[in-house]
Protein backbone atom coordinates (compact mmCIF):
# COMPACT_ATOMS: atom_id res chain seq x y z
CA UNK A 1 0.00 0.00 0.00
CA UNK A 2 2.85 2.34 0.84
CA UNK A 3 4.27 1.79 -2.66
CA UNK A 4 1.33 3.63 -4.22
CA UNK A 5 2.12 6.65 -2.04
CA UNK A 6 5.88 6.42 -2.47
CA UNK A 7 5.42 6.95 -6.23
CA UNK A 8 4.73 10.64 -5.54
CA UNK A 9 7.77 12.91 -5.19
CA UNK A 10 8.33 14.01 -1.61
CA UNK A 11 10.49 16.54 0.20
CA UNK A 12 11.10 15.05 3.68
CA UNK A 13 10.09 17.29 6.57
CA UNK A 14 9.31 14.83 9.36
CA UNK A 15 10.93 11.92 11.17
CA UNK A 16 9.76 8.37 10.47
CA UNK A 17 7.00 8.66 13.06
CA UNK A 18 5.70 11.18 15.59
CA UNK A 19 5.53 10.32 19.27
CA UNK A 20 2.47 8.65 20.83
CA UNK A 21 2.08 8.93 24.61
CA UNK A 22 -0.67 8.26 27.13
CA UNK A 23 -2.12 11.09 29.19
CA UNK A 24 -1.68 10.40 32.91
CA UNK A 25 -3.36 13.08 34.99
CA UNK A 26 -6.17 14.56 32.91
CA UNK A 27 -8.08 11.27 32.41
CA UNK A 28 -8.70 11.13 36.19
CA UNK A 29 -11.00 14.11 35.63
CA UNK A 30 -12.84 12.57 32.68
CA UNK A 31 -14.14 9.13 33.59
CA UNK A 32 -10.63 7.60 33.60
CA UNK A 33 -10.74 7.45 29.81
CA UNK A 34 -7.74 5.93 28.03
CA UNK A 35 -6.51 8.96 26.11
CA UNK A 36 -3.37 8.81 24.00
CA UNK A 37 -1.95 11.72 22.04
CA UNK A 38 -0.02 11.67 18.80
CA UNK A 39 2.43 14.56 18.68
CA UNK A 40 2.09 15.97 15.17
CA UNK A 41 2.51 19.34 16.89
CA UNK A 42 6.17 18.85 17.80
CA UNK A 43 8.39 21.55 16.36
CA UNK A 44 10.43 19.75 13.75
CA UNK A 45 10.28 22.82 11.53
CA UNK A 46 8.58 26.20 11.49
CA UNK A 47 6.86 25.72 14.85
CA UNK A 48 5.41 22.30 13.96
CA UNK A 49 1.95 21.09 13.02
CA UNK A 50 -0.14 18.83 10.82
CA UNK A 51 0.50 20.74 7.60
CA UNK A 52 4.08 19.47 7.42
CA UNK A 53 2.81 16.03 6.39
CA UNK A 54 0.94 17.58 3.46
CA UNK A 55 3.76 19.93 2.51
CA UNK A 56 6.13 17.01 1.93
CA UNK A 57 4.06 16.19 -1.14
CA UNK A 58 3.58 19.75 -2.44
CA UNK A 59 7.25 20.66 -2.15
CA UNK A 60 8.19 17.32 -3.73
CA UNK A 61 5.94 18.10 -6.68
CA UNK A 62 7.17 21.70 -6.89
CA UNK A 63 10.80 20.49 -7.03
CA UNK A 64 9.85 17.85 -9.58
CA UNK A 65 8.28 20.54 -11.78
CA UNK A 66 11.35 22.77 -11.47
CA UNK A 67 9.56 25.58 -9.63
CA UNK A 68 11.47 28.20 -7.66
CA UNK A 69 8.65 30.08 -5.88
CA UNK A 70 5.82 28.89 -3.63
CA UNK A 71 2.57 30.77 -3.06
CA UNK A 72 0.39 29.65 -0.13
CA UNK A 73 -2.97 31.04 1.01
CA UNK A 74 -4.83 31.18 4.28
CA UNK A 75 -6.60 33.18 6.94
CA UNK A 76 -4.64 35.94 8.67
CA UNK A 77 -3.44 33.66 11.51
CA UNK A 78 -3.13 30.60 9.28
CA UNK A 79 -0.84 27.85 10.60
CA UNK A 80 -0.82 26.41 7.11
CA UNK A 81 0.63 29.64 5.69
CA UNK A 82 3.30 29.82 8.43
CA UNK A 83 4.35 26.20 7.85
CA UNK A 84 4.24 26.55 4.05
CA UNK A 85 6.64 29.48 4.35
CA UNK A 86 8.98 27.64 6.73
CA UNK A 87 9.02 24.47 4.65
CA UNK A 88 9.43 26.37 1.37
CA UNK A 89 12.38 28.36 2.71
CA UNK A 90 13.92 25.20 4.17
CA UNK A 91 13.74 23.59 0.73
CA UNK A 92 15.30 26.64 -0.95
CA UNK A 93 12.20 28.18 -2.55
CA UNK A 94 11.13 31.79 -2.43
CA UNK A 95 7.74 32.14 -0.80
CA UNK A 96 4.81 34.56 -0.85
CA UNK A 97 1.68 34.35 1.30
CA UNK A 98 -1.81 35.50 0.36
CA UNK A 99 -3.72 36.06 3.60
CA UNK A 100 -7.38 36.97 3.96
CA UNK A 101 -8.85 38.65 7.02
CA UNK A 102 -11.44 35.88 7.47
CA UNK A 103 -11.88 36.32 11.24
CA UNK A 104 -13.41 39.53 12.62
CA UNK A 105 -10.62 40.29 15.10
CA UNK A 106 -8.42 43.33 14.89
CA UNK A 107 -6.74 43.53 18.29
CA UNK A 108 -3.00 44.07 18.41
CA UNK A 109 -2.12 40.43 19.11
CA UNK A 110 -4.32 39.01 16.39
CA UNK A 111 -2.78 41.35 13.84
CA UNK A 112 0.86 41.27 14.93
CA UNK A 113 1.56 38.28 17.14
CA UNK A 114 1.41 34.48 16.69
CA UNK A 115 1.78 33.23 13.15
CA UNK A 116 2.14 36.75 11.78
CA UNK A 117 5.17 37.38 13.98
CA UNK A 118 6.82 34.17 12.76
CA UNK A 119 6.06 35.02 9.13
CA UNK A 120 7.62 38.44 9.55
CA UNK A 121 10.66 36.81 11.17
CA UNK A 122 11.00 34.57 8.12
CA UNK A 123 10.85 37.64 5.91
CA UNK A 124 8.39 36.26 3.36
CA UNK A 125 6.25 38.61 1.26
CA UNK A 126 2.71 38.87 2.62
CA UNK A 127 -0.25 40.01 0.51
CA UNK A 128 -3.11 41.09 2.80
CA UNK A 129 -6.66 40.79 1.44
CA UNK A 130 -10.00 41.64 2.99
CA UNK A 131 -12.56 39.06 4.13
CA UNK A 132 -14.51 38.93 0.86
CA UNK A 133 -11.50 38.55 -1.45
CA UNK A 134 -10.98 35.48 -3.62
CA UNK A 135 -7.58 34.30 -2.38
CA UNK A 136 -7.11 31.70 -5.11
CA UNK A 137 -7.84 34.20 -7.89
CA UNK A 138 -5.38 36.61 -6.33
CA UNK A 139 -2.74 33.85 -6.13
CA UNK A 140 -3.32 32.91 -9.77
CA UNK A 141 -2.90 36.55 -10.85
CA UNK A 142 0.25 36.90 -8.75
CA UNK A 143 1.63 33.69 -10.25
CA UNK A 144 1.11 35.12 -13.75
CA UNK A 145 2.81 38.36 -12.72
CA UNK A 146 5.82 36.54 -11.23
CA UNK A 147 6.09 34.35 -14.29
CA UNK A 148 6.49 37.41 -16.52
CA UNK A 149 9.57 38.10 -14.35
CA UNK A 150 10.97 34.64 -15.16
CA UNK A 151 9.86 32.84 -11.97
CA UNK A 152 8.33 29.36 -11.97
CA UNK A 153 5.56 29.36 -9.40
CA UNK A 154 3.78 26.56 -7.52
CA UNK A 155 0.50 27.37 -5.73
CA UNK A 156 -0.30 25.21 -2.71
CA UNK A 157 -4.05 24.48 -2.55
CA UNK A 158 -6.15 25.99 0.25
CA UNK A 159 -5.27 24.34 3.56
CA UNK A 160 -3.09 21.81 1.77
CA UNK A 161 -6.27 19.84 1.31
CA UNK A 162 -6.47 18.33 -2.13
CA UNK A 163 -5.92 14.62 -2.74
CA UNK A 164 -2.15 15.02 -3.13
CA UNK A 165 -1.55 16.80 0.19
CA UNK A 166 -3.96 14.52 2.03
CA UNK A 167 -1.70 11.57 1.20
CA UNK A 168 0.28 12.83 4.20
CA UNK A 169 -2.55 11.68 6.44
CA UNK A 170 -3.07 8.39 4.62
CA UNK A 171 0.56 7.82 5.56
CA UNK A 172 -0.20 8.93 9.10
CA UNK A 173 -2.87 6.20 9.37
CA UNK A 174 -0.27 3.64 8.24
CA UNK A 175 2.13 5.07 10.81
CA UNK A 176 -0.51 4.72 13.56
CA UNK A 177 -1.10 1.09 12.53
CA UNK A 178 2.62 0.39 12.86
CA UNK A 179 2.71 2.05 16.27
CA UNK A 180 -0.28 -0.07 17.35
CA UNK A 181 1.53 -3.19 16.23
CA UNK A 182 4.86 -2.23 17.81
CA UNK A 183 3.25 -1.27 21.13
CA UNK A 184 0.61 -3.99 21.21
CA UNK A 185 -2.29 -1.58 21.46
CA UNK A 186 -5.42 -0.97 19.41
CA UNK A 187 -6.94 2.49 19.06
CA UNK A 188 -10.74 2.37 18.90
CA UNK A 189 -11.18 6.06 18.16
CA UNK A 190 -8.93 8.50 16.31
CA UNK A 191 -9.84 12.14 16.91
CA UNK A 192 -8.88 15.16 14.79
CA UNK A 193 -10.07 18.69 14.09
CA UNK A 194 -11.66 19.05 10.63
CA UNK A 195 -10.92 22.41 8.94
CA UNK A 196 -10.23 22.15 5.23
CA UNK A 197 -10.78 18.37 5.71
CA UNK A 198 -7.50 16.94 4.35
CA UNK A 199 -6.34 15.58 7.69
CA UNK A 200 -9.64 13.85 8.43
CA UNK A 201 -10.13 12.57 4.87
CA UNK A 202 -6.58 11.20 4.70
CA UNK A 203 -6.99 9.34 8.00
CA UNK A 204 -10.35 7.90 6.87
CA UNK A 205 -8.82 6.63 3.63
CA UNK A 206 -5.76 5.21 5.40
CA UNK A 207 -7.96 3.34 7.89
CA UNK A 208 -10.18 2.08 5.08
CA UNK A 209 -7.20 0.73 3.13
CA UNK A 210 -6.01 -1.01 6.30
CA UNK A 211 -9.47 -2.44 7.04
CA UNK A 212 -9.13 -0.81 10.46
CA UNK A 213 -12.15 -0.85 12.74
CA UNK A 214 -11.12 2.44 14.39
CA UNK A 215 -13.68 5.22 14.16
CA UNK A 216 -12.06 8.38 12.81
CA UNK A 217 -13.98 11.31 14.26
CA UNK A 218 -13.58 14.90 13.11
CA UNK A 219 -14.67 17.93 15.12
CA UNK A 220 -15.70 20.74 12.77
CA UNK A 221 -13.66 23.90 13.24
CA UNK A 222 -14.31 25.68 9.94
CA UNK A 223 -17.86 24.99 8.82
CA UNK A 224 -20.98 23.09 9.88
CA UNK A 225 -21.54 19.49 8.85
CA UNK A 226 -23.84 20.29 5.92
CA UNK A 227 -20.82 21.69 4.10
CA UNK A 228 -17.96 19.81 5.81
CA UNK A 229 -19.43 16.35 5.20
CA UNK A 230 -19.70 16.63 1.38
CA UNK A 231 -16.26 18.25 1.22
CA UNK A 232 -14.67 15.47 3.28
CA UNK A 233 -16.52 12.76 1.36
CA UNK A 234 -15.49 14.12 -2.05
CA UNK A 235 -11.90 14.56 -0.95
CA UNK A 236 -11.68 11.06 0.56
CA UNK A 237 -12.88 9.51 -2.70
CA UNK A 238 -10.47 11.67 -4.72
CA UNK A 239 -7.62 10.39 -2.55
CA UNK A 240 -8.68 6.79 -3.20
CA UNK A 241 -8.78 7.49 -6.95
CA UNK A 242 -5.36 9.15 -6.86
CA UNK A 243 -4.06 5.93 -5.32
CA UNK A 244 -5.68 3.84 -8.04
CA UNK A 245 -8.68 2.57 -6.02
CA UNK A 246 -12.41 2.81 -6.60
CA UNK A 247 -14.16 5.66 -4.72
CA UNK A 248 -15.83 3.54 -2.03
CA UNK A 249 -16.13 6.02 0.85
CA UNK A 250 -19.77 6.68 1.76
CA UNK A 251 -21.37 9.43 3.88
CA UNK A 252 -21.60 6.90 6.76
CA UNK A 253 -17.78 6.76 6.85
CA UNK A 254 -17.55 10.49 7.61
CA UNK A 255 -18.02 10.95 11.36
CA UNK A 256 -18.31 14.63 12.29
CA UNK A 257 -19.35 16.61 15.33
CA UNK A 258 -20.21 20.27 14.75
CA UNK A 259 -21.32 20.98 18.33
CA UNK A 260 -18.05 22.59 19.39
CA UNK A 261 -17.61 24.97 16.45
CA UNK A 262 -19.31 27.80 18.31
CA UNK A 263 -20.05 30.90 16.24
CA UNK A 264 -17.61 29.83 13.55
CA UNK A 265 -14.03 29.62 12.37
CA UNK A 266 -11.59 31.32 14.73
CA UNK A 267 -14.37 32.38 17.14
CA UNK A 268 -13.44 31.38 20.70
CA UNK A 269 -15.79 29.23 22.79
CA UNK A 270 -16.05 28.71 26.53
CA UNK A 271 -15.35 24.97 26.07
CA UNK A 272 -12.23 25.70 23.99
CA UNK A 273 -10.78 27.99 26.67
CA UNK A 274 -11.54 25.42 29.37
CA UNK A 275 -9.96 22.58 27.38
CA UNK A 276 -6.78 24.55 26.66
CA UNK A 277 -6.38 25.50 30.31
CA UNK A 278 -7.17 21.99 31.53
CA UNK A 279 -4.61 20.24 29.31
CA UNK A 280 -2.00 22.88 30.11
CA UNK A 281 -2.68 22.60 33.85
CA UNK A 282 -2.88 18.82 34.07
CA UNK A 283 -0.26 17.75 31.54
CA UNK A 284 1.81 20.83 30.58
CA UNK A 285 0.69 20.54 26.96
CA UNK A 286 -0.58 23.33 24.72
CA UNK A 287 -3.48 23.25 22.30
CA UNK A 288 -4.47 26.10 19.99
CA UNK A 289 -7.61 28.28 20.08
CA UNK A 290 -8.80 27.72 16.49
CA UNK A 291 -8.36 24.01 15.80
CA UNK A 292 -6.99 21.62 18.41
CA UNK A 293 -8.58 23.41 21.39
CA UNK A 294 -12.07 23.04 19.93
CA UNK A 295 -11.54 19.40 18.93
CA UNK A 296 -10.12 18.53 22.35
CA UNK A 297 -13.05 20.29 24.00
CA UNK A 298 -15.37 18.19 21.84
CA UNK A 299 -13.62 14.98 22.79
CA UNK A 300 -13.84 15.82 26.51
CA UNK A 301 -17.51 16.75 26.21
CA UNK A 302 -18.30 13.53 24.36
CA UNK A 303 -16.41 11.41 26.91
CA UNK A 304 -18.48 13.05 29.65
CA UNK A 305 -21.65 12.40 27.62
CA UNK A 306 -20.75 8.71 27.29
CA UNK A 307 -20.32 8.82 23.51
CA UNK A 308 -16.97 7.02 23.72
CA UNK A 309 -17.36 3.54 25.16
CA UNK A 310 -15.67 3.04 28.55
CA UNK A 311 -12.39 1.12 28.49
CA UNK A 312 -11.77 1.80 24.79
CA UNK A 313 -8.60 3.51 23.58
CA UNK A 314 -8.83 7.03 22.21
CA UNK A 315 -6.03 8.53 20.12
CA UNK A 316 -6.16 12.32 19.97
CA UNK A 317 -4.12 13.78 17.12
CA UNK A 318 -2.30 16.88 18.39
CA UNK A 319 -2.25 18.88 15.14
CA UNK A 320 -0.28 21.88 16.40
CA UNK A 321 -1.10 25.55 16.01
CA UNK A 322 0.26 26.74 19.36
CA UNK A 323 1.59 29.99 17.81
CA UNK A 324 -2.11 30.87 17.50
CA UNK A 325 -2.31 31.08 21.30
CA UNK A 326 -0.15 34.22 21.22
CA UNK A 327 -2.61 35.82 18.82
CA UNK A 328 -5.50 35.13 21.21
CA UNK A 329 -3.77 36.45 24.33
CA UNK A 330 -6.83 38.48 25.35
CA UNK A 331 -8.94 35.31 25.69
CA UNK A 332 -6.88 33.83 28.51
C1 LIG B 1 -3.38 23.28 14.05
C2 LIG B 1 -4.32 22.78 13.03
N1 LIG B 1 -5.07 21.71 13.32
C3 LIG B 1 -5.96 21.21 12.44
C4 LIG B 1 -6.14 21.80 11.21
C5 LIG B 1 -7.18 21.23 10.30
O1 LIG B 1 -6.60 20.46 9.29
P1 LIG B 1 -7.36 20.32 7.91
O2 LIG B 1 -7.34 21.68 7.28
O3 LIG B 1 -6.59 19.30 7.17
O4 LIG B 1 -8.75 19.90 8.21
C6 LIG B 1 -5.37 22.92 10.85
C7 LIG B 1 -5.59 23.59 9.57
O5 LIG B 1 -5.11 24.67 9.31
C8 LIG B 1 -4.44 23.42 11.79
O6 LIG B 1 -3.67 24.49 11.50
Amino acid sequence: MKDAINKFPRYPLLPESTLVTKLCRLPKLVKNANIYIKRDDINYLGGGGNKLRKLEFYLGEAQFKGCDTIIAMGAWQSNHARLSAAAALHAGFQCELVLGKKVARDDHDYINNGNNLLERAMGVKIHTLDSSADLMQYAINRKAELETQGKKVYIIPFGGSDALGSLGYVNCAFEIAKQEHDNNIKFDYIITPNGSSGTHAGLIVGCKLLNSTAQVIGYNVLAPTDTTLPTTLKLANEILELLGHKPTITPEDILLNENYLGKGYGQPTVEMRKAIKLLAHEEGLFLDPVYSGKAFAGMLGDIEAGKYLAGKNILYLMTGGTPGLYAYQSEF
Side-chain angles (χ1 to χ4, degrees):
M1 265 182 296
K2 273 203 140 191
D3 291 350
I5 294 186
N6 289 340
K7 280 197 297 208
F8 294 90
R10 233 160 120 184
Y11 178 80
L13 292 167
L14 286 157
E16 203 184 323
S17 57
T18 58
L19 198 65
V20 171
T21 54
K22 190 171 185 187
L23 295 185
C24 301
R25 291 171 52 84
L26 179 133
K28 296 193 180 104
L29 307 176
V30 278
K31 297 189 162 180
N32 283 316
N34 298 326
I35 307 173
Y36 294 77
I37 50 170
K38 184 163 173 63
R39 302 296 308 276
D40 275 22
D41 61 318
I42 285 181
N43 301 353
Y44 295 105
L45 182 79
N50 63 334
K51 302 295 173 168
L52 290 177
R53 287 189 190 268
K54 303 172 174 190
L55 285 161
E56 289 193 329
F57 290 91
Y58 294 124
L59 296 186
E61 186 174 71
Q63 281 182 328
F64 181 75
K65 290 184 169 171
C67 298
D68 52 30
T69 304
I70 300 290
I71 298 182
M73 297 158 284
W76 181 250
Q77 280 291 339
S78 162
N79 300 305
H80 169 67
R82 180 242 313 159
L83 284 167
S84 297
L89 296 177
H90 187 268
F93 293 94
Q94 291 186 351
C95 180
E96 298 196 4
L97 301 178
V98 179
L99 303 182
K101 293 247 171 83
K102 300 282 178 202
V103 178
R105 292 179 78 90
D106 58 6
D107 60 283
H108 183 267
D109 287 307
Y110 192 78
I111 300 301
N112 299 296
N113 210 333
N115 286 304
N116 180 265
L117 168 62
L118 301 180
E119 287 153 9
R120 281 186 284 124
M122 288 187 277
V124 293
K125 187 170 178 61
I126 300 176
H127 304 264
T128 309
L129 274 57
D130 68 28
S131 61
S132 59
D134 182 340
L135 305 190
M136 181 50 104
Q137 192 52 54
Y138 187 95
I140 291 168
N141 295 347
R142 180 65 184 155
K143 177 177 191 272
E145 192 180 2
L146 286 168
E147 288 185 344
T148 62
Q149 298 164 21
K151 302 276 185 208
K152 196 147 185 226
V153 179
Y154 186 92
I155 300 179
I156 297 179
F158 177 72
S161 285
D162 67 357
L164 181 67
S166 305
L167 293 180
Y169 273 93
V170 180
N171 250 341
C172 180
F174 296 166
E175 189 179 303
I176 292 168
K178 182 167 185 315
Q179 288 173 313
E180 288 181 315
H181 176 266
D182 292 349
N183 297 294
N184 196 21
I185 187 168
K186 169 87 191 69
F187 296 117
D188 302 290
Y189 304 101
I190 301 174
I191 313 293
T192 178
N194 183 321
S196 59
S197 304
T199 304
H200 192 189
L203 288 170
I204 291 170
V205 169
C207 287
K208 182 93 172 183
L209 292 174
L210 290 162
N211 288 322
S212 163
T213 53
Q215 292 187 26
V216 186
I217 300 170
Y219 286 87
N220 309 40
V221 296
L222 178 66
T225 295
D226 59 2
T227 47
T228 303
L229 194 144
T231 307
T232 311
L233 177 63
K234 181 167 173 286
L235 182 53
N237 280 320
E238 286 168 358
I239 301 167
L240 277 176
E241 287 180 313
L242 184 65
L243 292 173
H245 297 274
K246 291 209 168 76
T248 51
I249 305 284
T250 64
E252 291 69 39
D253 294 318
I254 316 291
L255 304 176
L256 283 165
N257 185 332
E258 64 183 4
N259 295 338
Y260 294 83
L261 172 61
K263 290 197 181 122
Y265 175 76
Q267 304 292 335
T269 62
V270 173
E271 294 87 349
M272 173 278 286
R273 284 192 211 94
K274 264 171 74 177
I276 288 183
K277 287 183 176 173
L278 193 66
L279 190 65
H281 185 264
E282 296 301 317
E283 308 272 354
L285 294 170
F286 301 119
L287 297 162
D288 83 282
V290 180
Y291 302 93
S292 57
K294 285 188 178 175
F296 201 84
M299 179 187 72
L300 294 180
D302 285 349
I303 291 172
E304 288 293 357
K307 291 193 184 160
Y308 296 111
L309 297 179
K312 299 286 183 185
N313 293 323
I314 303 174
L315 180 68
Y316 180 81
L317 183 70
M318 295 271 288
T319 50
T322 39
L325 264 180
Y326 301 95
Y328 282 74
Q329 188 265 123
S330 57
E331 300 293 333
F332 292 88

